[in-house]
Amino acid sequence: MAHAVIIGTVTPPEAMDVSMRGQDEDRVRGFAAFADVEPAVLDGLLEHSFVQTLPKGAVLFEQGDEARFLHVILAGRLGLMARSDSDEETVVEFFAAGDAVIAPAIILDMPYLMSGRVLEEARILMMPAARFRAALAESHALTAAMMRELARHWRLLVRQIKDLKLRSAPQRVGCYLLTLADGSEGAAAIVLPEERRMLAARLGMTPESLSRAFAQLREQGVGGRGREVEIADVGRLRAFCAYDDLA
Amino acid sequence: MAHAVIIGTVTPPEAMDVSMRGQDEDRVRGFAAFADVEPAVLDGLLEHSFVQTLPKGAVLFEQGDEARFLHVILAGRLGLMARSDSDEETVVEFFAAGDAVIAPAIILDMPYLMSGRVLEEARILMMPAARFRAALAESHALTAAMMRELARHWRLLVRQIKDLKLRSAPQRVGCYLLTLADGSEGAAAIVLPEERRMLAARLGMTPESLSRAFAQLREQGVGGRGREVEIADVGRLRAFCAYDDLA
DNA sequence: CGGCTTATTGACATACGTCAACTATTGTGG
DNA sequence: CCACAATAGTTGACGTATGTCAATAAGCCG
């Protein structure tokens, strides 16, 4: 089990060398979720926000915590981890640059259902929850952007549920590879953005099963080693996985 | 397999004896999602909406269809069904009075990821998709309500994913019963709102497995027959299911 | 290079699915 | 309202996908 770095108390912005830099601001303004928000509202939000750079393993929040910040990922990768009673841990979803984590907890002011762990060194914009909620009340554009963001994400979760209920482990792996290959035809080369054990958890299986799933997929023309994966024929894999555009 | 009644073409409102009645209007206005919406906006929406009464088995829309209406359930129950390549069918979620189905498809104007099937005779308010999107653009209150609705629902889906990945079949059944028992302590009597086969599908198992799961739960003080279920001690069941408030 | 973590492979265990028979429930038309 | 058919649920025997445990191999980092 990885030793998690717990970020318990947050250093106030003044005390950090990680305050908002121009480059970060540009990134935030470029994100789809904030593109249409009135500059004044966004300025107001950013004024009270700050940026943290967090190492792999850092824990942004724990399952059950009250939501104190909306975390906007500027760079790096995050995992939403759910833990069972028996300390088994699984991944519900990965988040990457441009994602807001986890809006529903902040919007509803309810405790987190999952923990947020840094999987790859990340720069995170921290927006105080109350300020964000105030901005939602003020700005129709921001609310609309959040609504759309949630709607998009809702569909991702539904796809995952369909995946878990209707597909075998090798098919789930194949579908994941296909989403990474994203619409390409014929042969495709992709690189897994995560460690295989994290991918296994996200797909609802053990690392051993993931290994065997990859072994089975060799028959479908899936090869490669380490994080590099090659698909000989995207169409063939798609047929094997019963992959349609709806999942 | 049930023989589904397909609602292919929709009768225009004028031609139906099922137009908006006062009772229905009252219901809609009472729903949390519409409570804060400006009366003018809501009136505008309702003016172009109509109501259908649909029998058990009716299909409101099919996986892959474009979203033409936002369906608001006034009474009855709906199931969101997902079908795999091999014609296996599962239930992603149940919807009941007060729920809007399926907002993300309408908001994003994207095809449905699932089919909507009536599980118990239902009165459905049909709001034309384009009008609804126009109302969202117009009304901050409506957008905010939808955002909150989606946030709430997002959490339900996350819980289901945690359930599927971290709990055994009997535990999933127990958790479902506990959500129905909803916070009561000691003994509780509940009635299942669905046929057992639908419940099995929602919980990601076969009817046979559901049966055996109930058999196992007898050891945990869960009894009853048909749709009536008694829990001898909610606390005991909660412990068995590793049920916390976060799922 | 050497030690640690991660990934793979094999042998085995088990939860759940499948198939089939039987029972209970529900709905329907005479 | 009963009778019977159709559908839904249960139970048992058995199969299989995936989990578990253990040993080995392969990456990765100091």
Side-chain angles (χ1 to χ4, degrees):
Chain A
M1 179 89 347
H3 291 277
V5 180
I6 308 255
I7 307 295
T9 50
V10 176
T11 316
E14 308 79 49
M16 308 179 71
D17 67 333
V18 288
S19 59
M20 203 80 185
R21 296 176 316 187
Q23 196 190 345
D24 290 328
E25 283 216 30
D26 294 347
R27 266 196 278 218
V28 174
R29 290 179 205 280
F31 290 153
F34 299 104
D36 296 333
V37 176
E38 301 84 345
V41 171
L42 192 49
D43 287 346
L45 265 177
L46 292 180
E47 197 180 316
H48 297 283
S49 304
F50 57 96
V51 174
Q52 281 192 320
T53 299
L54 295 170
K56 176 169 166 172
V59 172
L60 277 165
F61 48 83
E62 286 279 0
Q63 183 169 326
D65 284 357
E66 98 186 273
R68 298 161 63 215
F69 296 95
L70 180 69
H71 301 86
V72 179
I73 308 184
L74 302 172
R77 289 181 74 83
L78 262 191
L80 263 36
M81 321 292 299
R83 202 170 20 265
S84 80
D85 212 44
S86 43
D87 271 340
E88 223 180 325
E89 207 177 40
T90 192
V91 173
V92 172
E93 198 50 282
F94 299 126
F95 280 82
D99 291 323
V101 182
I102 306 180
I106 281 81
I107 289 169
L108 302 175
D109 200 4
M110 295 186 79
Y112 286 115
L113 296 177
M114 300 162 287
S115 306
R117 164 137 6 122
V118 175
L119 300 180
E120 188 186 300
E121 177 164 288
R123 275 184 79 74
I124 311 273
L125 174 70
M126 318 272 291
M127 289 187 174
R131 299 248 174 219
F132 184 74
R133 282 189 292 266
L136 284 174
E138 209 182 312
S139 163
H140 187 184
L142 181 60
T143 306
M146 276 295 123
M147 178 187 72
R148 274 191 296 271
E149 191 78 2
L150 287 173
R152 247 187 305 276
H153 212 99
W154 192 89
R155 289 171 67 94
L156 290 181
L157 295 183
V158 166
R159 277 148 101 120
Q160 184 172 168
I161 290 173
K162 287 172 66 174
D163 225 39
L164 289 168
K165 285 183 176 169
L166 296 171
R167 273 191 263 258
S168 69
Q171 284 179 316
R172 295 204 294 278
V173 174
C175 284
Y176 185 82
L177 297 178
L178 286 168
T179 63
L180 290 178
D182 188 32
S184 52
E185 293 299 329
I190 57 196
V191 349
L192 302 175
E194 315 294 344
E195 289 171 9
R196 292 201 171 199
R197 50 199 297 278
M198 288 293 147
L199 180 55
R202 161 60 241 264
L203 295 175
M205 65 189 79
T206 58
E208 292 94 326
S209 290
L210 178 65
S211 239
R212 288 186 249 268
F214 268 111
Q216 265 192 259
L217 288 176
R218 259 176 250 148
E219 293 162 27
Q220 306 300 326
V222 175
R225 39 196 297 288
R227 291 212 179 173
E228 271 115 75
V229 176
E230 285 120 43
I231 303 171
D233 179 357
V234 166
R236 179 142 72 104
L237 184 57
R238 216 172 281 173
F240 171 79
C241 300
Y243 184 95
D244 56 45
D245 286 336
L246 308 173
Chain B
M1 179 89 345
H3 292 278
V5 180
I6 308 254
I7 307 295
T9 51
V10 175
T11 316
E14 309 78 49
M16 309 180 70
D17 68 335
V18 288
S19 60
M20 202 82 185
R21 296 177 316 188
Q23 196 190 346
D24 290 329
E25 283 216 29
D26 295 347
R27 265 195 279 220
V28 174
R29 290 180 205 280
F31 290 153
F34 298 105
D36 296 331
V37 177
E38 301 83 345
V41 171
L42 192 50
D43 288 345
L45 265 176
L46 291 181
E47 196 179 318
H48 297 282
S49 304
F50 57 96
V51 174
Q52 281 193 321
T53 299
L54 295 170
K56 176 170 167 173
V59 173
L60 278 165
F61 47 83
E62 286 280 358
Q63 184 170 326
D65 283 357
E66 96 186 275
R68 297 161 62 217
F69 296 95
L70 179 69
H71 302 86
V72 179
I73 307 184
L74 302 172
R77 291 181 73 83
L78 262 191
L80 263 37
M81 321 293 298
R83 203 172 15 267
S84 80
D85 212 44
S86 43
D87 271 340
E88 223 180 326
E89 206 177 40
T90 192
V91 173
V92 171
E93 197 51 281
F94 298 127
F95 280 83
D99 291 324
V101 182
I102 309 180
I106 282 81
I107 290 169
L108 301 175
D109 199 6
M110 294 185 79
Y112 286 115
L113 296 177
M114 299 162 288
S115 306
R117 162 135 9 120
V118 175
L119 300 181
E120 188 185 299
E121 176 164 288
R123 276 185 80 73
I124 311 273
L125 174 69
M126 318 272 291
M127 290 187 173
R131 299 250 174 217
F132 183 74
R133 283 190 290 267
L136 283 174
E138 211 183 311
S139 164
H140 187 184
L142 181 61
T143 305
M146 276 295 124
M147 178 187 72
R148 276 192 295 272
E149 191 78 3
L150 287 173
R152 248 187 304 277
H153 213 99
W154 193 90
R155 289 171 68 93
L156 290 180
L157 295 183
V158 166
R159 278 148 100 119
Q160 184 173 168
I161 289 172
K162 287 172 66 173
D163 225 38
L164 289 168
K165 284 182 177 170
L166 295 171
R167 273 190 263 261
S168 69
Q171 285 179 315
R172 293 204 295 277
V173 175
C175 284
Y176 185 82
L177 297 177
L178 286 168
T179 64
L180 290 178
D182 188 31
S184 50
E185 294 297 330
I190 57 197
V191 349
L192 303 175
E194 315 292 345
E195 290 171 9
R196 292 201 170 198
R197 49 201 297 280
M198 287 294 146
L199 179 55
R202 161 59 241 266
L203 295 175
M205 65 187 79
T206 59
E208 292 95 323
S209 290
L210 178 64
S211 234
R212 288 186 248 269
F214 267 111
Q216 266 191 258
L217 288 177
R218 262 178 282 204
E219 293 162 28
Q220 306 300 326
V222 175
R225 39 193 298 289
R227 291 211 177 172
E228 270 114 75
V229 176
E230 284 119 44
I231 303 171
D233 179 359
V234 167
R236 180 142 72 104
L237 184 57
R238 216 172 282 175
F240 171 78
C241 300
Y243 185 95
D244 55 45
D245 286 336
L246 307 173

